[in-house]
Amino acid sequence: MSGQQQINFEKPFIGSIDQGTSSTRFILFDSKGDTVLSHQIPLKQYHPNPGWVEHDGLEIINSVNECISQVLNKYKETNIGEISDIKAIGITNQRETTIVWDKNTGKPYHNAIVWSDTRTSSIVNRFNTKAESLLKKEQQSQSQQQIVPKDYLRDICGLPIANYFSAVKLRWLIENVPEIDQSNALAGTIDSWLVWNLTNKKTHITDVTNASRTMLMNLATLEWDSKLCDFFDVPNSLLPKICSSAEIYGHVESGPLAGVPIASVLGDQQSAMVGQMCFDKGQAKNTYGTGCFLLYNTGDDIVHSKHGLLTTVCYKLGKDSPVHYALEGSIAVAGAGVKWLIENLGFANNSKEIEALANSVQDTGGMYIVPAFSGLFAPHWRDDARGVMVGLTHHTNKAHIARAMLESTCFQTYEVLKSMEKDSNDKLVELRVDGGMTMNDLLLQIQADILGLPVVRPHNLETTCFGAAYAAGLTVGVWSSAMQFHIGKRFTPNPNIDHMKRINDWHKAVSKSVDWVDK
């Protein structure tokens, strides 16, 4: 828990729940957007089989309640204000992670299946075969242009058929958990689970940003689509109501925040866009966390990617507010690669030591790491890929490997950004960044050099959590317009460095990682 002196705080306050892949947090912000108090609890991941990643749904809600209690205890102890000074809370959450629970008992039927889980590969193959069959019929009758099976639904939902998204995870749960009684079951992403619990079983909702990650929502109508639900054989009765990202969904029913409205829900990457104040078409941010997620604001245009990106909802800040869309490039392994070096290989005790180790050499000695531990996400979408190290020599040591792991995040970001420029027919001016890895100055300098663009780290790094707080504050009138974006540090590319050969070598390394898993 952390706090500042009371003299710096400006009432009223907004709370924000950040339920992520590796931890749960609750942060209290003041009306200037400064962090007042926070508490964080690590979240255990379960790996019952190779490629499987799960969370315990009850552990998730317990961690949320504990974080809130810890912050509110400190809030009362320090006499910062009254409960009435906390005007609302917002929620931001790990996306795509899927859970099904009994609406009567409130207990999950099974652990939540996390976004990075790959158990659904056979289901994805089955649906790709189904799509191929349907495409043949449609193309014969309508003389349509050729579409690859995985993109069969992309024009409706903006997404390829892939392990990543919620529909196939929900399908796996329905097919493999016999205890699920569909007449009493509710399903959703983690935001739905949190709101339902916080409102004491009264509210089963999701917002447009989370719904746009399921493969079940129509991007144009912002509703569950009958063609999509039929294709994946997902009963509409299981699904939550789709709402905007900023409205009052209900009130906290118990605990220290009882009576406080829940006034925003945003998927974590979209919340970071809001927190970075990326409200203009053409602005982009990259979040460097467990994975890496680059979003590019396309305004009110639904831009269907031709270069391996996702089309998603960026935000809809109010029931009657316009919806903004985004192109997104999702990278499966970023900070998770550093964690792997620490926990699996014992290279260091923490990420700061990895940075120092990587900084002890000038380059990687010509070696590359492609950390495709669970396949490659954007722009490749290859679930048959696996991690590789290439270019090893007798000269290679731990420092080279540590630096190569950092560079892998930067090269993957380069690939995604180049795809965005092709889809949008525009070039980015700067890249705003956030997430835990952005404390690493070496990483951000390498990123600026490889991109040939300024990389901007904000003054307040809690952009994901603040995005949800800001949206909630808009809902209840704490804020009425965009806040000023404050730069923490700008990293400018070295004009004397030509990275094209290394970029080409990176592409060669990626080619070695694919076709590893037999389908």
Side-chain angles (χ1 to χ4, degrees), residues 21-22 43-47 53-55 114 116 290 339:
T21 311
S22 58
L43 186 65
K44 184 175 181 181
Q45 293 188 3
Y46 299 89
H47 303 276
V53 189
E54 297 179 356
H55 284 152
V114 177
S116 57
T290 302
K339 185 178 180 182

Side-chain angles (χ1 to χ4, degrees), residues 332-358:
V333 175
V338 173
K339 185 178 180 182
W340 179 76
L341 292 180
I342 295 168
E343 295 184 356
N344 291 45
L345 301 188
F347 273 26
N349 295 310
N350 53 56
S351 58
K352 289 298 293 181
E353 291 183 9
I354 291 292
E355 179 181 6
L357 187 62

